[in-house]
Each structure stands twice: as structure tokens, then as C-alpha cells.
Amino acid sequence: MKVSSAAFLRSALHPRDFPKDGLPEIAFAGRSNVGKSSLLNTLLRRKGLAKTSKTPGKTRTINFFSVNERLYFVDLPGYGFAKVSKDLQATWGAMITSYLYDREPLRLVAHLIDARHPPTRNDHELLALLEDAETPTLLLATKIDKVRSSQRRAAIATIRKDFELDEDALILPMSSVTGEGIRELWQILDEQI
Ligand code: GTP
Ligand code: MG
């Protein structure tokens, strides 16, 4: 899809604040700092549209971005961010869980995994939740620019093995820095919307 317009719509902490027009949604989920907001900006070619930070825990609400007034990109808060209190973590968990389970317009969840490290316990929890919710999911191995080319296959294989995925299950290598994977990701998104 050619992006002709992209704009921040609103932040939501509660389903009553979600858009009501029923346009399809693509959500970005994964650990804090894995690069969800950066990927959204790179896909839309709008630097700084979604706020990013070197420090984990930047995105703390469910943020809706309108794309070509035809669909929404949904930037989710990350998980596994140790500095927040247990209470806040529980609130976040409940908020994200209810979005992923109950959101009718949700077409696809891009599940971002840091290509440099094996999946964490939280990554496993999200995978299980998405399977349970029967939400179509696409796994992305992000920050692939940080992985030496000789290590790439092994890095992807680690995720595949750890998640007990089939040989042919797609894990798309991505980088918001080099733009690797962006064209392939758009092709997949175009098929969902
Ligand atoms: P939360 O909002 O805290 O959940 O984090 P997030 O997943 O939205 O991460 P964000 O996009 O804010 O990026 C976190 C950091 O990783 C920033 O310093 C980004 O510049 C950096 N980053 C994001 N994507 C990439 C990538 O593909 N490669 C590299 N090298 N750095 C990246
Ligand atoms: Mg973010």
C-alpha cells in the first residue's frame, strides 16, 4: 500500500476509547524496547509519529494511528519492563489481553522478537495468548541489523526452536534502521486489509 496519509488518532486505556468505525487494525506487540513504535514509523515513513526511546517503557497506552483513513496501526505498550510496579504491570497486562482477545476489527498482530536474544518468558506468554485468542500472528525478528550475517540463520533458528514452530513457519527478519523486511511486511499487510 502506498501511504498517502498517516496520523495519530488517540491513546486509549479502556475499550470505550477505541475507534468505533470498524476499520481493520494491525497491532504491534512485544517486549518493551524491541522496536514496535520504530517499526510503525518506518512502515509509515513518518519519523517521530509514534514516540520512541532508548529507555524501555516509552509507550504506555494503546495508541491508534490512522493510515490512509482506511485502517489503523495500533502501537501497544511493551511488556517485561521491570521498573513499573506490579500493579501497573497487571493493569497493562489486562488492557493488552482484553484488546487482543476481544477486538473485533483486529486483523493481524505483528509479534516482535529481538533477533539478538532467545525469546523470554514474556515472549512465550504472548505467543500462548495469541494462540489461545486465535488471533492471526506474524513473527518478526527485529534489530536484525545488530546480528552478524554469519549468525543470522542461527538467530532465526533459535526463535523457531524455542517456540517449537514448524520448519516452514515464517519469521521475518526486520530492521527499522536498514529497512530490511519492510517491503515483505507491507506485502503481507496488504493481503490482510
Ligand atoms: P516500548 O514503547 O517501551 O514498549 O518500546 P518499543 O518496542 O516501542 O521500542 P522503540 O521503538 O521505542 O525502540 C527502542 C529502541 O530500539 C530505540 O532506541 C530505537 O532506536 C531502537 N531500535 C528500534 N528498532 C531498531 C532496529 O531495527 N535496529 C536497531 N539497531 N535499533 C532499533
Ligand atoms: Mg513503543
Side-chain angles (χ1 to χ4, degrees):
M1 178 190 288
K2 190 178 169 299
V3 178
S4 51
S5 73
F8 171 68
L9 179 76
R10 76 169 74 106
S11 295
L13 283 165
H14 191 277
R16 68 175 165 254
D17 299 321
F18 296 168
K20 293 179 181 60
D21 49 21
L23 292 177
E25 294 175 5
I26 308 284
F28 298 84
R31 251 171 65 196
S32 280
N33 205 242
V34 73
K36 301 175 293 297
S37 304
S38 303
L39 176 59
L40 192 147
N41 290 336
T42 305
L43 281 166
L44 298 177
R45 299 182 189 219
R46 303 285 196 283
K47 264 199 182 137
L49 182 62
K51 301 287 174 267
T52 66
S53 170
K54 284 196 175 82
T55 318
K58 181 66 180 174
T59 311
R60 298 194 177 203
T61 50
I62 298 183
N63 295 337
F64 292 87
F65 295 85
S66 168
V67 181
N68 291 354
E69 293 171 18
R70 253 196 68 197
L71 72 148
Y72 294 110
F73 275 7
V74 183
D75 192 13
L76 296 172
Y79 47 80
F81 170 45
K83 273 194 194 149
V84 298
S85 70
K86 279 265 174 329
D87 267 9
L88 194 55
Q89 282 190 38
T91 313
W92 279 1
M95 177 170 79
I96 296 166
T97 303
S98 84
Y99 174 81
L100 294 174
Y101 267 96
D102 300 331
R103 185 65 179 156
E104 200 275 327
L106 179 58
R107 293 287 177 278
L108 182 77
V109 178
H111 181 181
L112 284 72
I113 306 285
D114 191 324
R116 297 170 297 179
H117 312 291
T120 64
R121 188 172 54 83
N122 286 314
D123 291 330
H124 278 273
E125 281 174 14
L126 179 61
L127 186 81
L129 192 155
L130 290 167
E131 275 174 9
D132 190 50
E134 297 181 4
T135 313
T137 301
L138 176 64
L139 279 173
L140 307 177
T142 59
K143 305 197 182 183
I144 198 74
D145 56 286
K146 294 269 197 184
V147 177
R148 265 195 249 144
S149 51
S150 60
Q151 296 300 313
R152 288 174 60 119
R153 284 169 72 98
I156 303 287
T158 300
I159 298 173
R160 191 182 303 284
K161 186 157 174 269
D162 217 74
F163 277 172
E164 298 178 3
L165 303 174
D166 293 342
E167 270 305 302
D168 56 354
L170 179 63
I171 302 174
L172 194 61
M174 292 294 316
S175 169
S176 292
V177 171
T178 63
E180 179 173 349
I182 294 294
R183 202 160 43 89
E184 292 82 354
L185 180 52
W186 261 123
Q187 264 169 18
I188 296 167
L189 298 185
D190 281 337
E191 287 163 16
Q192 302 295 322
I193 51 186

